[in-house]
Amino acid sequence: MKVVNKNIHIDGIDKKILRALMQDARTPILEIARNVGISGAAIHQRLRKLEKSGLLSGSKFIVNPKVLGYTTMAYVGIYLDKAVSNPEAVKQLQRIPEVLECHYTTGHWSVFIKILAKDNEHLMHVLNKEIQSITGVSRTETFISLQQQIDRQIKI
């Protein structure tokens, strides 16, 4: 069965390559080639095709924030006084390094963000001194994550 996108068709070999790299992006191409049963050059060609299609958007090392002392993860629903405040509020949120993600949402909040802080005191500072001082923010609602229980990418 092929996964079909407007721009790309993924076959079984592509899936094997993707699964190997999603498990460990540092897996040598020749090791993947041996496991899949095609040449290293063919792996490179397929990866270039997947990158050009937009399916792959690069590879990166993941920093463990706990090693740097960041132990408090929080999600914050932000109420804006007007919808027109959104673009400016997002610009201001981009300037706050503790804000890792920002989503324009349906439902109660105008914006929903993910924050990583060193501790509850640091989180309180970010909320009170930085986020709530943004023009257009009328109030916030904060949820502290006690433990991340699932961390995965989409299944290929």
Side-chain angles (χ1 to χ4, degrees):
M1 180 181 129
K2 289 187 177 190
V3 176
V4 181
N5 177 311
K6 288 187 233 175
N7 303 320
I8 186 167
H9 296 284
I10 303 170
D11 63 18
I13 292 172
D14 290 331
K15 287 180 182 181
K16 287 179 182 178
I17 295 166
L18 288 168
R19 286 180 190 132
L21 291 172
M22 287 170 68
Q23 186 174 350
D24 182 357
R26 293 179 290 180
T27 304
I29 296 298
L30 291 177
E31 182 180 325
I32 295 170
R34 276 192 300 276
N35 293 336
V36 173
I38 62 175
S39 71
I43 299 280
H44 280 290
Q45 288 173 343
R46 285 174 175 266
L47 287 173
R48 275 196 297 278
K49 174 191 78 166
L50 295 170
E51 285 178 30
K52 284 182 184 174
S53 76
L55 179 66
L56 294 179
S57 58
S59 60
K60 59 185 174 185
F61 286 100
I62 298 169
V63 173
N64 181 349
K66 289 180 181 171
V67 173
L68 296 174
Y70 289 83
T71 59
T72 301
M73 179 71 68
Y75 297 87
V76 181
I78 300 176
Y79 295 84
L80 298 174
D81 54 11
K82 302 177 227 153
V84 294
S85 300
N86 182 284
E88 184 56 35
V90 171
K91 281 182 192 172
Q92 295 298 315
L93 289 167
Q94 285 176 325
R95 295 184 179 131
I96 303 170
E98 293 85 355
V99 175
L100 303 181
E101 296 179 15
C102 178
H103 301 267
Y104 186 52
T105 63
T106 60
H108 297 289
W109 311 291
S110 305
V111 178
F112 196 69
I113 63 173
K114 180 179 178 180
I115 295 178
L116 185 57
K118 292 193 174 200
D119 51 32
N120 288 352
E121 187 177 332
H122 181 203
L123 174 62
M124 192 170 73
H125 171 81
V126 171
L127 290 169
N128 293 339
K129 302 295 183 195
E130 299 188 52
I131 293 171
Q132 292 174 354
S133 67
I134 293 173
T135 303
V137 171
S138 58
R139 67 186 178 102
T140 61
E141 192 170 342
T142 304
F143 306 89
I144 295 175
S145 172
L146 301 176
Q147 179 184 42
Q148 181 176 355
Q149 297 180 311
I150 298 174
D151 181 15
R152 63 179 170 206
Q153 293 190 62
I154 194 76
K155 187 177 179 184
I156 300 287

